Amino acid sequence: MSHRNFKMIGYVVYGRGSFNQLDDIIKPHRKENAPMIFFVDHYFEGKDLPKRIQLRGNDKVIFVDVTDEPKTKYVDRLAAELKDEFGTVSGIIGIGGGSTMDLAKAVSLMMNNPGSSADYQGWDLVKFPGVYKVGIPTLSGTGAEVSRTTVLTGPTKKLGMNSDFTPFDQIVLDPEITANAPANQRFYTGMDCYIHCIESLTGTYLNEFSKSYGEKALELCREVFVTKDTWDAECDDKLMMASYAGGMSIAYSQVGVAHAVSYGLSYLLGTRHGIGNCIVFDKLEEYYPEGVKEFKYMVLKNGIDIPQNVCKGLTDEQFNRMIDVSLGMKPLWENALGKDWEKKIDREKLRELYEQL
Amino acid sequence: MSHRNFKMIGYVVYGRGSFNQLDDIIKPHRKENAPMIFFVDHYFEGKDLPKRIQLRGNDKVIFVDVTDEPKTKYVDRLAAELKDEFGTVSGIIGIGGGSTMDLAKAVSLMMNNPGSSADYQGWDLVKFPGVYKVGIPTLSGTGAEVSRTTVLTGPTKKLGMNSDFTPFDQIVLDPEITANAPANQRFYTGMDCYIHCIESLTGTYLNEFSKSYGEKALELCREVFVTKDTWDAECDDKLMMASYAGGMSIAYSQVGVAHAVSYGLSYLLGTRHGIGNCIVFDKLEEYYPEGVKEFKYMVLKNGIDIPQNVCKGLTDEQFNRMIDVSLGMKPLWENALGKDWEKKIDREKLRELYEQL
């Protein structure tokens, strides 16, 4: 058996107010006349956060549109525009949630790799290192800050650029900048971490490395969403570490039924990852009885709305497309149900599940 | 306030049997005619582990003498000999406990930096990156596999080469190769992690990053030394992760009284780090009541001998030297006792403590 050799991010700074150190941190990576490019989630347009970025020389802030999850053609366009305008850049800094960080990673890679990002959707296809890249999460839970992928929707598939060139050179974990996230969004994104941990810890893949990280992430999610009665600075601190630990736990684990089913949803309906996982997990008592019970309690306690009836009125053909996408996620099903997973889930059962969503 | 920007190790592979992947892992880092050098703890001379190393070309195994903790002159000699014999090397792989790993880190740096390693004892003095370096722990607990230092005894001080060039490019965490460690040594080294966690978690420095890692490390130590009744493979798995997590928790925390006092011991008497911490911690009820109580239980349960009366017969001058060394560790005392630590500990009180050891 061969164990994955896991590429780590280069540097991590964690602390309240560490966002203010950004200018110093990126300084040694500046190249003459090549700007630093700040991808900022469009949610922050007109808000305070972008004003705190220290722009130097021809640096540029680009508010990225993450209404939909990143598409390969958007990545290609951003990279082409930067090449046209600057030739090369010193680095790309992604400030936002998982989509913004994934965009930053993908565009960094496409500054130095020929063709389209769609050519690199898969495992270890990227040929050259990208430009210097920094991830700064403003929402906690995705784990994108430490992952070796960047989830992209391409012309033929939704799949990341998985490679050792993909992880960030630097991440800045400043819980202060997550403080004002909208409560619903914060919950959905936090649950990305919680659900991932339930799936991996109850799965058939797992070793002590991923277990340690997964258990810690789960514990921190519980402190935040179960134990605490009001949201405070400590919650931001802990959820940020939950996200980091949840992301690290991916090294030797795999997600399960919720992710496999929600990929179908997001492929067909464009449902975003965090909320999609919540919609699905809400109906998975059969597979994760304890986790779903706790999830429902957290939903109630935190006063969150989980959308219902999202599959109402879909055609047979649409259901079939979701089922095709979901059953294609073989490692997820195997992790959740074991090597003989195909005996335990079939199209009919999956159709029933989708109809409940 | 400025937060430390923490340099991570490059790659981690964790898993039973991952030691067998070493040849594949280091292959891309081989340079023509420049050998890979394997520093192996002399404890393994004649044993099986070194036979499992795949030597290629002019690769060389050097059994390093870690009877004493590494000295700068030993580092300098090893680097000089390698330069004489090979000119340059492709990489240095340290296989052993904390001392062996620290030697590997230090010699890697000295292959590319002029002068003596003693010139670089301190913070951020190292000028150039070292050669490729790999850490493979055969004992769990030191955290040396992830740290940015390498503790060295020099002509004038015991201090590491702390720098962003110091962390390993690669670590291989294979719990299988820790399986046959002698029980006393395994305990002392494991307690390095336990004591560090107690000191940092009860200290005045700390943030959620270090707290998360420290709590997890402590929990894993407890599972191994408190909960479990016999030592098995799971213990090796967990203690290896405890060591890793304990090491990571150092990023934003500091050790305390046990380390401050034991540095005096090891400076004067050459007491090794793990056992020195145990000798001291055993008498620290006043500072860490809960931790010391649990420690004593673990000592008893695991049938371990903690040396007593090690300071018997020392002269006043010798006591004073230990006290000088100990009081010089200001950040450790401040972390343990607060900003006004000098009001809480003085030479007399420290003398009393040393006399109890």
Side-chain angles (χ1 to χ4, degrees):
Chain A
M1 184 189 173
S2 175
H3 304 275
R4 184 187 295 172
N5 194 14
F6 189 69
K7 172 76 163 67
M8 309 277 268
I9 47 163
Y11 280 83
V12 57
V13 57
Y14 177 99
R16 306 190 73 79
S18 58
F19 186 76
N20 297 331
Q21 293 170 233
L22 184 58
D23 187 46
D24 287 339
I25 288 171
I26 63 179
K27 195 175 167 190
H29 302 278
R30 289 184 176 278
K31 290 171 186 158
E32 211 175 343
N33 295 323
M36 288 287 180
I37 306 298
F38 300 83
F39 284 180
V40 182
D41 185 333
H42 63 164
Y43 166 82
F44 289 103
E45 208 162 351
K47 295 201 167 66
D48 274 346
L49 190 65
K51 295 175 197 149
R52 294 171 58 195
I53 299 170
Q54 175 74 59
L55 297 177
R56 300 193 177 272
N58 50 354
D59 284 0
K60 188 173 183 176
V61 170
I62 296 175
F63 289 101
V64 291
D65 184 349
V66 288
T67 313
D68 297 316
E69 293 183 334
K71 294 189 167 58
T72 53
K73 64 181 180 194
Y74 189 32
V75 170
D76 294 347
R77 180 161 66 79
L78 285 165
E81 284 171 2
L82 289 174
K83 284 179 200 169
D84 279 354
E85 188 172 355
F86 302 107
T88 185
V89 303
S90 289
I92 303 207
I93 295 114
I95 304 172
S99 292
T100 305
M101 288 191 281
D102 276 357
L103 265 181
K105 287 195 262 187
V107 174
S108 155
L109 293 172
M110 292 315 296
M111 293 304 289
N112 288 346
N113 283 277
S116 160
S117 52
D119 304 336
Y120 304 108
Q121 285 182 283
W123 280 268
D124 302 306
L125 302 173
V126 180
K127 291 186 181 77
F128 306 106
V131 298
Y132 175 71
K133 52 190 177 305
V134 181
I136 308 182
T138 61
L139 270 172
S140 295
T142 69
E145 61 275 28
V146 293
S147 77
R148 82 187 286 276
T149 191
T150 152
V151 183
L152 299 178
T153 306
T156 59
K157 53 196 165 194
K158 182 177 172 186
L159 188 59
M161 298 163 79
N162 285 273
S163 86
D164 280 358
F165 298 125
T166 308
F168 284 115
D169 298 296
Q170 168 82 56
I171 61 174
V172 178
L173 301 179
D174 182 351
E176 245 173 40
I177 62 173
T178 67
N180 300 313
N184 264 342
Q185 183 61 57
R186 184 167 67 195
F187 184 86
Y188 300 144
T189 309
M191 284 302 112
D192 189 8
C193 179
Y194 177 86
I195 293 169
H196 164 74
C197 290
I198 295 289
E199 289 178 306
S200 64
L201 290 170
T202 59
T204 58
Y205 303 177
L206 199 64
N207 67 10
E208 190 56 45
F209 186 94
S210 287
K211 189 161 167 264
S212 300
Y213 273 115
E215 285 174 347
K216 191 67 205 178
L218 193 60
E219 185 190 313
L220 289 163
C221 286
R222 284 181 176 141
E223 287 176 30
V224 166
F225 292 114
V226 178
T227 312
K228 282 272 193 176
D229 286 322
T230 47
W231 195 272
D232 60 13
E234 203 189 356
C235 294
D236 290 316
D237 289 359
K238 284 182 190 287
L239 194 57
M240 186 157 262
M241 278 311 294
S243 178
Y244 167 94
M248 289 297 297
S249 83
I250 293 176
Y252 301 100
S253 71
Q254 184 50 276
V255 287
V257 180
H259 277 77
V261 175
S262 85
Y263 276 152
L265 270 194
S266 75
Y267 183 83
L268 187 78
L269 305 174
T271 315
R272 291 181 63 88
H273 188 69
I275 193 169
N277 279 340
C278 287
I279 291 169
V280 176
F281 196 66
D282 195 40
K283 312 293 182 198
L284 293 185
E285 287 97 337
E286 182 182 343
Y287 301 97
Y288 306 108
E290 296 298 315
V292 174
K293 195 175 156 195
E294 189 167 58
F295 172 78
K296 285 178 183 291
Y297 176 76
M298 293 187 287
V299 168
L300 202 69
K301 171 157 182 167
N302 292 273
I304 304 298
D305 308 309
I306 304 296
Q308 305 291 328
N309 303 317
V310 297
C311 290
K312 206 176 168 180
L314 294 183
T315 64
D316 282 352
E317 194 257 325
Q318 287 176 310
F319 275 113
N320 280 332
R321 238 190 302 155
M322 292 196 293
I323 292 167
D324 288 341
V325 168
S326 180
L327 289 177
M329 317 300 283
K330 294 182 204 294
L332 283 62
W333 289 107
E334 183 178 304
N335 176 51
L337 306 178
K339 287 208 179 300
D340 57 345
W341 63 273
E342 284 166 301
K343 290 182 192 151
K344 294 178 186 164
I345 186 83
D346 56 23
R347 302 187 68 88
E348 215 167 309
K349 200 158 177 196
L350 206 45
R351 167 78 183 246
E352 267 173 46
L353 180 54
Y354 274 116
E355 282 181 353
Q356 281 176 55
L357 302 181
Chain B
M1 185 190 173
S2 175
H3 304 277
R4 182 186 296 170
N5 195 14
F6 188 70
K7 171 77 163 70
M8 309 276 269
I9 47 163
Y11 281 83
V12 57
V13 57
Y14 177 100
R16 307 189 73 79
S18 57
F19 187 77
N20 296 332
Q21 294 169 231
L22 183 58
D23 186 46
D24 286 338
I25 287 171
I26 64 179
K27 194 175 169 191
H29 302 278
R30 290 184 175 279
K31 290 169 187 160
E32 212 175 343
N33 294 323
M36 287 288 179
I37 306 298
F38 300 84
F39 284 0
V40 181
D41 184 333
H42 62 164
Y43 166 83
F44 289 103
E45 209 164 349
K47 295 201 167 65
D48 274 346
L49 190 65
K51 296 176 197 150
R52 293 172 57 194
I53 299 170
Q54 175 74 58
L55 297 177
R56 301 194 177 272
N58 50 353
D59 284 0
K60 188 174 182 177
V61 169
I62 297 175
F63 289 100
V64 291
D65 185 348
V66 289
T67 313
D68 296 316
E69 293 183 335
K71 292 189 168 57
T72 52
K73 64 181 181 195
Y74 189 32
V75 171
D76 294 346
R77 180 161 67 79
L78 285 166
E81 285 172 1
L82 289 175
K83 284 177 200 169
D84 280 353
E85 188 171 355
F86 302 107
T88 184
V89 303
S90 290
I92 301 203
I93 295 112
I95 304 172
S99 292
T100 305
M101 287 190 282
D102 277 357
L103 265 181
K105 286 194 263 188
V107 174
S108 155
L109 293 172
M110 292 316 296
M111 293 304 290
N112 289 345
N113 283 277
S116 161
S117 53
D119 304 336
Y120 305 107
Q121 286 183 282
W123 281 268
D124 302 306
L125 302 173
V126 180
K127 290 187 181 76
F128 305 106
V131 299
Y132 175 71
K133 51 191 177 307
V134 180
I136 308 183
T138 61
L139 271 172
S140 294
T142 68
E145 61 274 29
V146 293
S147 77
R148 82 186 286 275
T149 191
T150 151
V151 184
L152 300 178
T153 305
T156 60
K157 52 196 165 196
K158 182 178 172 185
L159 187 59
M161 299 163 80
N162 284 274
S163 85
D164 281 358
F165 299 125
T166 309
F168 284 116
D169 298 296
Q170 169 82 54
I171 60 174
V172 178
L173 302 179
D174 181 351
E176 245 173 43
I177 62 174
T178 68
N180 300 315
N184 264 343
Q185 184 60 58
R186 184 168 65 195
F187 184 85
Y188 299 145
T189 309
M191 284 303 112
D192 189 7
C193 178
Y194 177 86
I195 293 169
H196 164 75
C197 289
I198 295 289
E199 289 177 306
S200 62
L201 289 171
T202 59
T204 59
Y205 302 176
L206 199 64
N207 67 12
E208 189 57 45
F209 186 95
S210 287
K211 189 161 167 265
S212 300
Y213 273 115
E215 285 174 348
K216 191 67 207 180
L218 194 59
E219 185 189 314
L220 289 163
C221 286
R222 283 181 177 142
E223 287 175 30
V224 166
F225 291 114
V226 178
T227 312
K228 282 272 193 177
D229 287 320
T230 45
W231 195 274
D232 59 13
E234 202 188 358
C235 294
D236 290 316
D237 289 358
K238 284 182 190 287
L239 193 57
M240 185 156 263
M241 278 312 295
S243 178
Y244 167 94
M248 289 297 298
S249 84
I250 292 174
Y252 301 101
S253 71
Q254 185 49 279
V255 287
V257 180
H259 277 79
V261 175
S262 85
Y263 276 151
L265 271 193
S266 75
Y267 183 84
L268 188 79
L269 306 174
T271 316
R272 293 181 61 88
H273 187 69
I275 194 169
N277 279 340
C278 287
I279 291 169
V280 177
F281 196 67
D282 195 41
K283 311 292 182 200
L284 292 184
E285 287 96 339
E286 182 182 341
Y287 302 96
Y288 307 107
E290 297 296 317
V292 174
K293 194 175 156 195
E294 189 167 59
F295 172 79
K296 286 179 184 289
Y297 176 76
M298 292 187 287
V299 168
L300 202 69
K301 171 156 182 168
N302 292 273
I304 304 297
D305 308 308
I306 304 295
Q308 305 291 329
N309 304 316
V310 296
C311 290
K312 207 176 170 180
L314 295 183
T315 65
D316 282 351
E317 194 255 328
Q318 288 176 309
F319 275 112
N320 281 331
R321 237 188 306 152
M322 290 196 293
I323 292 166
D324 288 341
V325 169
S326 181
L327 288 177
M329 317 299 283
K330 294 182 204 294
L332 282 62
W333 289 107
E334 182 179 302
N335 176 52
L337 306 178
K339 288 209 179 296
D340 57 343
W341 63 272
E342 285 166 302
K343 291 183 192 151
K344 297 178 183 163
I345 187 83
D346 55 22
R347 301 187 70 87
E348 215 167 306
K349 200 158 177 195
L350 206 45
R351 168 77 182 246
E352 267 174 46
L353 181 53
Y354 275 117
E355 283 181 352
Q356 283 177 53
L357 302 181

